[in-house]
Amino acid sequence: MIADSTGRDAGRRARPARATRRAGAWTHDGDIDPLTRMCRFGAEALMKTVDRYRLTFTHPGPDARMVTDEVVVERTSAHGPGGHPVYSDPTGILRAEISPAGEVRMLASGAYQSPINPAAEPLS
């Protein structure tokens, strides 16, 4: 037997990791660290998600003063490119992917948009 640096048989193929649901909780089968490599749905099951955020946009106004706009967005059933929930305003024009850490990624919902990233505040 030839062992690798982890002490396992180097000739044996590693079993692929997969997430399974047992008794309402997500568990992992395989040789992965569940804290750093969770599947998207398993990570959401462990984190408390916020249903509404207030997004605050700050931009220069016509007379060089800063103007602040606030929009309340609600969670949708969609997930963004980063795997986090997508939030939308009632019109559906403003869409943002917001991570549990509060990082905001604005998503274009139509042509000719160049959205800026706002500050996000969770609402209860």
Side-chain angles (χ1 to χ4, degrees):
M1 174 174 112
I2 301 173
D4 62 4
S5 61
T6 62
R8 290 188 296 180
D9 182 5
R12 193 180 81 201
R13 191 174 243 200
R15 182 176 73 177
R18 64 175 192 236
T20 57
R21 188 173 183 151
R22 294 188 187 125
W26 285 91
T27 59
H28 291 271
D29 298 334
D31 299 324
I32 62 170
D33 180 7
L35 296 176
T36 59
R37 293 189 171 201
M38 299 184 84
C39 71
R40 179 178 61 179
F41 300 111
E44 280 187 19
L46 296 176
M47 292 185 276
K48 183 177 186 283
T49 55
V50 178
D51 290 331
R52 295 173 16 156
Y53 277 94
R54 176 184 298 124
L55 301 180
T56 305
F57 295 89
T58 305
H59 54 90
D63 55 355
R65 289 187 302 170
M66 296 306 280
V67 177
T68 301
D69 294 320
E70 293 183 348
V71 179
V72 175
V73 293
E74 293 187 2
R75 185 177 177 174
T76 65
S77 61
H79 288 84
H84 303 294
V86 172
Y87 294 79
S88 176
D89 71 334
T91 65
I93 296 172
L94 185 73
R95 295 170 42 93
E97 176 185 16
I98 305 175
S99 74
E103 300 163 326
V104 180
R105 178 187 304 189
M106 296 303 298
L107 304 173
S109 60
Y112 306 110
Q113 290 183 339
S114 56
I116 57 174
N117 284 339
E121 174 188 351
L123 299 175
S124 53

